[in-house]
Amino acid sequence: MKVVVSDPLSSEGIALLQAAGHQVVTPAAEELPQALADAAALIVRSATRVTAKLLEAAPHLRVIGRAGAGVDNIDVAAATRRGILVMNTPGGNTVAACELTMAMMLALARRLPQLSAQVKAGAWPKKGFLGMELQGKRLGIIGLGRIGSEVARRALAFGMGVVAYDPYVPKDHARRLEVKLVPLDELLATSDVITLHAPHGPDTARLIDAAAIAKMKPCVLLINCARGGIIDEAALADALRSGKVAGAALDVFEHEPPTGSPLLAFEQVIATPHVGATTREAQATVATQIAEQIVAFLRGEPPRNAVNAPAVDAELLQVIGPYIDLGERLGMLLVQLADGPIERLTVTYRGEMNDHDVRPITTAILKGVLQRALTTPVNYVNAPVIAAERGLKVDVVRSSAIEDFANLITLDGVTRQGRLSVAGTLFSRHTPRIVRIDDYRVDAAPAGHLLVTRNHDQPGVIAHVSAVLAERGVNIADMTCGRDRPGGTSTLVISIDSPVSPQVVRQIEASPLILRARLVSL
């Protein structure tokens, strides 16, 4: 498949893509729309702007990979509507960004840029540039994610007290770090150094404005190695003039490059050109990581580090990956057995799945249900969106009820004609099996072509079905049968080596012993 790399990418990543058999092209900016016309994947860093208009030129694009964490340069909503997965590498540059933050902190505290400039100018200013020790000072971290957490660990090693504001982080995570979670106003009012590690969005745009700065301690140090636009730069300039902020270290700006910014005129401002991830190690890591993720996704594996689909990291994937596959197959089974469009779907999870995020499994189930009914492409990205647009009501139930199986996924579908239920599990944690259709216990592999019948529990059923298949030269690979009671009704699931035509299905249904027959392809 064709993979377009529109920004510089470490050679390790390129080599991985090529080793997997993909064609890698690196077009100039003006050639990008043409290069995307037949591309399956696009890899960008921070320079390329992936707009809705650009995506219109990429009708076959399946995935956009961001070699880095931020996706500000990608129209994620437009990609989602088109069913294009967006993935990033959130942990690849963690150490690099963290170490830059610590370098900024030390440089501000000891006024290193000013001292260096003085010495280079011929001065020897041993007096007049009094520094500040970090030990015993309070560091306020806004955003206690991967990078913020690593900064906290290093600051604690320096003997600093650390507080953090993050409305989304679990308290247990902060407790393990020995970091105190506090309200934003308390952080602003009590911190000697404040560092930002939050994403840019509606909740954080100009979070540090004139009102926020007014709440800070006098002579505070401010660091931003996260995203431009979180700080009101005009308000920061005013605070630097007044001395309220003693120094600021900025790796990011609202407009980059920050041509004409008043902040560049202050000697107490350290400015770097958005190089938080620019280390040899980080570049190689994010390139390798995004290449591996792209290769795995194009190979058909569930997505990792997805931005617009339920995220599945490598550790979680080992646990729920087989359930994702099982869920999709159960969805395909349900929709092919149904007598009409499914209007309501209830998914019930039992067992170890309830210890994890089940959204990736639910998304796979929706993909299985929808892709058999629609001509438009359905994937892990747009399946929830399409389900909502079609009015499919989805309920998810986590049950602790004990069943015959340690782990069980049950799908209950409602159509205008009635109800239908299927259930599946994993044998030995990896082998998927269909174990129930409605109230009938069965044991069948959810793969290949299955002939599923509802019939009277009487002699002659298997003989009739076998005779019809034999007449057409169709071999039976496996068979399972479940019944409600002796002499009642039963369900027969027959695995066959090749599909049969609707005429053959009708011929099977022609027997008075057969109540219904369906061909299912998984």
Side-chain angles (χ1 to χ4, degrees), residues 403-454:
E403 290 269 348
D404 293 337
F405 302 95
N407 300 285
L408 193 70
I409 300 176
T410 303
L411 309 187
D412 293 293
V414 177
T415 71
R416 292 184 180 180
Q417 287 73 31
R419 296 175 177 270
L420 178 68
S421 175
V422 299
T425 189
L426 296 177
F427 289 173
S428 302
R429 292 181 176 267
H430 290 94
T431 305
R433 305 296 290 185
I434 303 165
V435 295
R436 194 172 69 237
I437 297 177
D438 287 333
D439 295 325
Y440 301 89
R441 294 175 180 270
V442 296
D443 178 13
H449 306 289
L450 304 177
L451 188 62
V452 182
T453 70
R454 182 68 48 80

Side-chain angles (χ1 to χ4, degrees), residues 286-504:
V286 297
T288 300
Q289 189 174 341
I290 198 62
E292 289 175 344
Q293 291 175 198
I294 293 284
V295 168
F297 179 74
L298 293 179
R299 197 164 48 216
E301 296 179 15
R304 284 178 283 157
N305 294 321
V307 174
N308 58 344
V312 184
D313 60 29
E315 184 177 348
L316 178 60
L317 185 61
Q318 284 189 334
V319 178
I320 71 169
Y323 292 107
I324 291 174
D325 178 64
L326 172 64
E328 182 172 345
R329 292 173 183 272
L330 288 176
M332 295 169 64
L333 172 66
L334 183 75
V335 74
Q336 291 179 80
L337 292 179
D339 289 325
I342 296 173
E343 298 178 348
R344 190 178 195 97
L345 175 66
T346 301
V347 183
T348 303
Y349 295 103
R350 293 181 175 88
E352 70 174 357
M353 291 167 288
N354 287 323
D355 296 331
H356 305 283
D357 184 358
V358 297
R359 289 179 301 165
I361 308 173
T362 305
T363 299
I365 291 168
L366 291 176
K367 177 176 180 285
V369 168
L370 293 169
Q371 68 185 357
R372 301 293 303 193
L374 301 176
T375 56
T376 54
V378 181
N379 56 30
Y380 294 107
V381 177
N382 60 10
V385 175
I386 293 175
E389 290 175 347
R390 291 176 61 85
L392 174 59
K393 298 178 177 63
V394 182
D395 298 311
V396 175
V397 178
R398 293 171 178 259
S399 175
S400 59
I402 299 175
E403 290 269 348
D404 293 337
F405 302 95
N407 300 285
L408 193 70
I409 300 176
T410 303
L411 309 187
D412 293 293
V414 177
T415 71
R416 292 184 180 180
Q417 287 73 31
R419 296 175 177 270
L420 178 68
S421 175
V422 299
T425 189
L426 296 177
F427 289 173
S428 302
R429 292 181 176 267
H430 290 94
T431 305
R433 305 296 290 185
I434 303 165
V435 295
R436 194 172 69 237
I437 297 177
D438 287 333
D439 295 325
Y440 301 89
R441 294 175 180 270
V442 296
D443 178 13
H449 306 289
L450 304 177
L451 188 62
V452 182
T453 70
R454 182 68 48 80
N455 48 268
H456 295 290
D457 184 36
Q458 295 178 15
V461 172
I462 294 176
H464 166 67
V465 175
S466 299
V468 173
L469 294 176
E471 181 183 343
R472 302 300 178 113
V474 178
N475 187 56
I476 295 176
D478 198 6
M479 183 184 301
T480 180
C481 180
R483 62 182 182 178
D484 56 1
R485 57 183 174 80
T489 57
S490 66
T491 285
L492 192 64
V493 181
I494 304 172
S495 175
I496 52 180
D497 287 342
S498 56
V500 295
S501 66
Q503 291 85 353
V504 173

Side-chain angles (χ1 to χ4, degrees), residues 97-98 100-109 134 139-140 142 151 160 193-197 208 216 220-227 230-231 236 245 247-252 270:
C98 166
L100 178 63
T101 300
M102 296 304 297
M104 295 287 207
M105 197 182 309
L106 289 163
L108 283 175
L134 296 181
L139 173 65
I142 298 177
V151 170
M160 301 183 78
V193 183
I194 296 173
T195 180
L196 306 178
H197 299 286
I208 305 302
M216 296 178 185
V220 68
L221 301 179
L222 185 61
I223 302 168
N224 186 9
C225 293
R227 283 288 176 267
I230 300 177
I231 296 176
L236 176 57
V245 175
L250 308 172
D251 185 48
V252 290
I270 301 173

Side-chain angles (χ1 to χ4, degrees), residues 25-293:
V25 297
T26 55
E30 63 273 12
E31 299 169 345
L32 182 56
Q34 182 179 354
L36 288 173
D38 57 347
L42 168 65
I43 296 178
V44 302
R45 297 213 57 214
S46 59
T48 299
R49 308 294 300 180
V50 184
T51 63
K53 183 177 180 180
L54 181 64
L55 293 177
E56 291 176 0
H60 305 291
L61 197 65
R62 296 173 56 190
V63 58
I64 301 168
R66 166 69 163 96
V71 291
D72 314 61
N73 56 318
I74 300 171
D75 190 334
V76 177
T80 302
R81 286 192 298 271
R82 299 181 70 90
I84 301 170
L85 180 76
V86 179
M87 57 173 60
N88 63 353
T89 56
N93 58 8
T94 297
V95 172
C98 166
E99 290 185 354
L100 178 63
T101 300
M102 296 304 297
M104 295 287 207
M105 197 182 309
L106 289 163
L108 283 175
R110 298 305 300 268
R111 306 178 72 179
L112 298 184
Q114 297 97 311
L115 288 169
S116 178
Q118 289 280 323
V119 172
K120 289 180 178 180
W124 193 250
K126 288 181 68 67
K127 297 180 180 180
F129 284 88
L130 203 61
M132 179 186 82
E133 293 182 2
L134 296 181
Q135 180 173 303
K137 301 302 187 295
R138 170 170 279 196
L139 173 65
I141 301 176
I142 298 177
L144 198 61
R146 288 181 174 89
I147 297 171
S149 296
E150 289 301 316
V151 170
R153 291 187 177 97
R154 286 156 178 77
L156 288 166
F158 270 74
M160 301 183 78
V162 182
V163 296
Y165 168 73
D166 192 324
Y168 304 105
V169 74
K171 291 182 180 179
D172 287 345
H173 174 68
R175 191 178 300 114
R176 286 193 297 270
L177 289 172
E178 299 182 4
V179 172
K180 181 182 179 183
L181 288 176
V182 298
L184 179 60
D185 284 353
E186 181 179 338
L187 182 148
L188 297 174
T190 62
S191 298
D192 301 294
V193 183
I194 296 173
T195 180
L196 306 178
H197 299 286
H200 181 269
D203 295 337
T204 58
R206 301 199 174 184
L207 179 69
I208 305 302
D209 56 9
I213 293 172
K215 298 173 183 176
M216 296 178 185
K217 294 176 69 172
C219 299
V220 68
L221 301 179
L222 185 61
I223 302 168
N224 186 9
C225 293
R227 283 288 176 267
I230 300 177
I231 296 176
D232 182 331
E233 294 178 4
L236 176 57
D238 290 340
L240 288 162
R241 290 189 193 96
S242 69
K244 176 74 172 183
V245 175
L250 308 172
D251 185 48
V252 290
F253 296 84
E254 188 164 4
H255 302 289
E256 296 179 356
T259 306
S261 171
L263 295 174
L264 302 182
F266 293 93
E267 69 167 9
Q268 64 268 44
V269 170
I270 301 173
T272 52
H274 203 151
V275 293
T278 309
T279 65
R280 287 188 296 272
E281 295 84 355
Q283 295 302 294
T285 298
V286 297
T288 300
Q289 189 174 341
I290 198 62
E292 289 175 344
Q293 291 175 198

